Amino acid sequence: LDTAKLHNFVTSNCMTYQINTYGCQMNAHDSEKIAGILEKNGFLEWDESSHQTKKADLIIFNTCCVRDHAEARVFGNIGALREAKENNPDMVIAVCGCMMQQEGMEQKISRRFPFVDIIFGTHNLDEFEKYIHEVIIEKKKIRQIQEGMEIIEDLPIKRAYNKSAYATIMYGCDNYCSYCIVPYVRGRERSRDMEAVVQEVRGLAKQGYVEITLLGQNVNSYGGNGNNASFPQLLRTLNEIDGLEFIRFMTSHPKDLSDELIEVMARCDKICKHIHLPVQSGSNRILTAMNRCYSREHYLSLIHKLRAQIPDIAVTTDIIVGFPGETEDDFEDTLRLMEQVRFTSAFTFMYSVRTGTKAADMQHQIDKKIKKQRLHRLNALQNQIIQEDAPGYINKTMRVMVDEVMNKKDEVKAKAENTKTVFLKGDPHMIGKVYEVKIKAARAGALVAEII
Ligand code: SAH
Ligand code: SF4
Ligand code: F3S
């Protein structure tokens, strides 16, 4: 690979790139790697504000397919580039990410949008540099969707923020929740070596990062593939890193949340008092049909243990309404669970049929209208809970990290370890720093605090 030739071509033409990212933090982090590879090769990030008419020279769509509307959006956005590509054949269009791993998708895109230059899958990111070389220098078209188990270390990363960073600790998923496409598009579960993760986070702390978010579809089963590390052990090690202040992770699967993990969360001062613990449904019948491998009672017992050992821990969740066969009674079980737990926030979704998953073939698919009504009722209840719980934050103390200066010059915005937005008196030098604050006023949307 003649990287000098590519670099030379890219820089002498001042080539720019733009990445459109859909989906979860995994994809956001993959986009940081794509940006890292591009900048290493001389590309500049396209600046929307300064180029009103000229589009970027390389446009990338990093796709998601977890729910159906994602597909429609991506297709619309690729289609919208048809004319620009006709007027400027040198423009490069690339499509990658989870959607590309779906059967027949590459052919479908090639047929509908033959002008797309590069299509590659979630296991081919390490070859992206080669693809851009082949397209720009050799004028080829690329169609590469492979399966793979390898973990590629040391890809360049251009991080979106300079105080807060992502680190993937595991790839793929083996849980096969019956509604979910992720195991099919991200492959089998595999964990990074603990040493590699620790090295990366140490390096980040040295560069001045204070917050790390560890990523995986089920971080609680980290290390399961025989590399002799466990998630609690990883957390204990990371908690010792100087300079690091906030350790976050997602997602935790309730079936694998151990007592040891709860204890480690309670003991390690850098681990944020927050857990994202998707419940999906409050009905045991539906949980079984979803293949979630825990009961409503088990979930509630986890919440009880978490709150007993970590007072004021924020619990956030994901919930699906309208799973096949969900009755009004099942749905009311979900509402009641929501009332019992009182989540800090909930990401709520209408069930979306994903071809190839078990649930797609289940009987009693729920009418769209009913799904919409249930979603509406669920969101109304969650909003009510957030309103009701807001005053409870007054006089509480919590750790926050300042991330932005507000328009009013003497005010800054911060994110609390419990995910709440907090406003403080302050100035720009506070950005990226962590403070212990006391809450003075509380609204549903945000808290107002003083440094103590
Ligand atoms: N690994 C994580 C979540 C991955 S996807 C976990 O196990 O919780 C993020 C969320 O999307 C899921 O928690 C689920 O609530 C939602 N989701 C996944 N598949 C879906 C589908 N087919 N329809 C609607 N929502 C879905
Ligand atoms: Fe999907 Fe379940 Fe895996 Fe989460 S744990 S990614 S919901 S299969
Ligand atoms: Fe994430 Fe969507 Fe893929 S949720 S793992 S980007 S299917």
Side-chain angles (χ1 to χ4, degrees):
L1 195 67
D2 190 347
T3 49
K5 189 167 180 187
L6 177 65
H7 195 277
N8 198 9
F9 185 90
V10 169
T11 49
S12 55
N13 288 289
C14 290
M15 289 181 79
T16 57
Y17 71 92
Q18 185 209 4
I19 309 176
N20 303 283
T21 308
Y22 305 80
C24 65
Q25 285 90 347
M26 292 276 175
N27 260 18
H29 191 40
D30 281 351
S31 287
E32 293 183 327
K33 292 178 185 169
I34 292 170
I37 294 167
L38 290 172
E39 297 210 355
K40 180 184 152 224
N41 284 284
F43 284 86
L44 300 168
E45 192 171 3
W46 182 70
D47 179 356
E48 194 156 10
S49 56
S50 68
H51 299 66
Q52 289 304 331
T53 47
K54 190 178 177 292
K55 290 198 185 306
D57 302 296
L58 171 54
I59 298 183
I60 299 157
F61 296 93
N62 189 7
T63 63
C64 168
C65 55
V66 80
R67 283 171 293 275
D68 48 10
H69 68 262
E71 184 173 305
R73 272 177 64 208
V74 168
F75 280 10
N77 291 338
I78 301 172
L81 291 178
R82 193 183 298 270
E83 208 185 298
K85 176 76 175 173
E86 272 165 17
N87 295 336
N88 174 16
D90 288 336
M91 170 192 226
V92 178
I93 299 173
V95 189
C96 63
C98 294
M99 214 172 105
M100 299 310 105
Q101 297 295 136
Q102 287 179 282
E103 218 173 286
M105 187 55 73
E106 179 255 297
Q107 294 83 343
K108 192 168 170 180
I109 292 181
S110 293
R111 217 170 32 239
R112 278 184 64 176
F113 310 107
F115 56 84
V116 167
D117 301 281
I118 308 177
I119 298 179
F120 68 99
T122 56
H123 302 281
N124 301 97
L125 195 58
D126 57 305
E127 296 196 314
F128 182 56
E129 185 172 30
K130 188 174 119 218
Y131 301 157
I132 39 178
H133 186 274
E134 289 175 343
V135 167
I136 292 176
I137 306 295
E138 301 168 25
K139 304 289 175 201
K140 284 190 186 166
K141 268 199 189 300
I142 309 292
R143 303 290 185 255
Q144 290 286 347
I145 317 288
Q146 270 102 33
E147 291 300 320
M149 280 298 279
E150 256 173 291
I151 291 181
I152 311 293
E153 294 290 348
D154 301 324
L155 284 178
I157 302 177
K158 192 212 171 197
R159 298 187 187 268
Y161 311 100
N162 59 10
K163 294 293 171 189
S164 174
Y166 294 128
T168 305
I169 63 167
M170 60 178 323
Y171 295 86
C173 182
D174 283 350
N175 293 305
Y176 291 98
C177 302
S178 62
Y179 50 81
C180 186
I181 193 93
V182 172
Y184 303 92
V185 296
R186 285 280 175 172
R188 298 288 55 74
E189 180 179 307
R190 52 229 185 264
S191 295
R192 271 176 84 189
D193 276 342
M194 184 159 133
E195 206 34 53
V197 178
V198 174
Q199 286 292 350
E200 180 179 3
V201 179
R202 270 203 198 111
L204 288 166
K206 274 212 188 94
Q207 290 171 49
Y209 282 86
V210 289
E211 175 177 303
I212 186 85
T213 303
L214 307 173
L215 299 178
Q217 294 298 348
N218 176 6
V219 290
N220 301 345
S221 71
Y222 171 76
N225 51 357
N227 66 5
N228 296 324
S230 69
F231 188 52
Q233 196 184 341
L234 173 66
L235 288 175
R236 271 196 299 264
T237 310
L238 297 180
N239 196 58
E240 300 303 313
I241 295 178
D242 285 338
L244 196 63
E245 302 257 19
F246 273 19
I247 302 173
R248 299 183 184 276
F249 49 85
M250 68 190 319
T251 299
S252 292
H253 194 306
K255 80 177 165 64
D256 296 312
L257 177 63
S258 65
D259 290 349
E260 188 190 0
L261 176 60
I262 298 176
E263 201 183 306
V264 167
M265 287 181 75
R267 281 210 195 140
C268 294
D269 55 331
K270 293 176 180 173
I271 301 179
C272 289
K273 289 184 186 169
H274 167 226
I275 189 161
H276 184 62
L277 196 63
V279 66
Q280 312 297 0
S281 169
S283 154
N284 281 335
R285 222 173 55 79
I286 297 297
L287 286 172
T288 304
M290 285 177 162
N291 192 32
R292 288 292 286 180
C293 305
Y294 56 84
S295 64
R296 166 196 184 91
E297 292 73 26
H298 180 70
Y299 188 87
L300 290 170
S301 79
L302 292 175
I303 301 296
H304 184 77
K305 280 191 217 170
L306 282 160
R307 288 187 172 150
Q309 293 197 48
I310 311 161
D312 295 328
I313 186 170
V315 183
T316 57
T317 202
D318 294 347
I319 297 175
I320 297 174
V321 299
F323 184 83
E326 186 187 69
T327 62
E328 175 63 22
D329 280 354
D330 291 320
F331 174 63
E332 281 173 16
D333 282 346
T334 301
L335 291 175
R336 245 171 294 147
L337 180 126
M338 185 177 251
E339 273 172 342
Q340 263 175 286
V341 177
R342 304 190 78 81
F343 296 105
T344 302
S345 64
F347 299 88
T348 55
F349 310 103
M350 282 189 273
Y351 168 71
S352 168
V353 178
R354 304 286 70 206
T355 309
T357 63
K358 264 211 167 126
D361 298 326
M362 287 182 185
Q363 299 202 316
H364 309 295
Q365 298 283 332
I366 305 296
D367 198 68
K368 179 95 186 259
K369 225 171 83 191
I370 296 181
K371 284 189 212 171
K372 270 196 176 153
Q373 284 167 357
R374 288 184 183 161
L375 186 69
H376 186 77
R377 287 163 67 194
L378 191 69
N379 289 341
L381 175 61
Q382 179 58 30
N383 288 337
Q384 183 194 329
I385 290 169
I386 292 175
Q387 295 277 356
E388 288 170 356
D389 288 353
Y393 288 100
I394 292 175
N395 288 329
K396 296 258 185 211
T397 59
M398 57 187 71
R399 291 191 307 147
V400 306
M401 190 179 94
V402 176
D403 49 26
E404 225 180 290
V405 182
M406 299 312 293
N407 288 339
K408 271 199 284 173
K409 284 263 160 43
D410 60 343
E411 197 178 45
V412 294
K413 184 160 100 25
K415 188 175 169 196
E417 56 177 316
N418 64 10
T419 73
K420 286 279 176 188
T421 299
V422 177
F423 293 99
L424 302 169
K425 284 255 172 294
D427 54 64
H429 91 270
M430 291 164 69
I431 289 182
K433 298 209 170 81
V434 171
Y435 298 91
E436 181 96 17
V437 303
K438 187 170 187 175
I439 306 302
K440 292 290 161 192
R443 282 170 276 123
L447 308 173
V448 180
E450 266 172 16
I451 296 176
I452 47 177

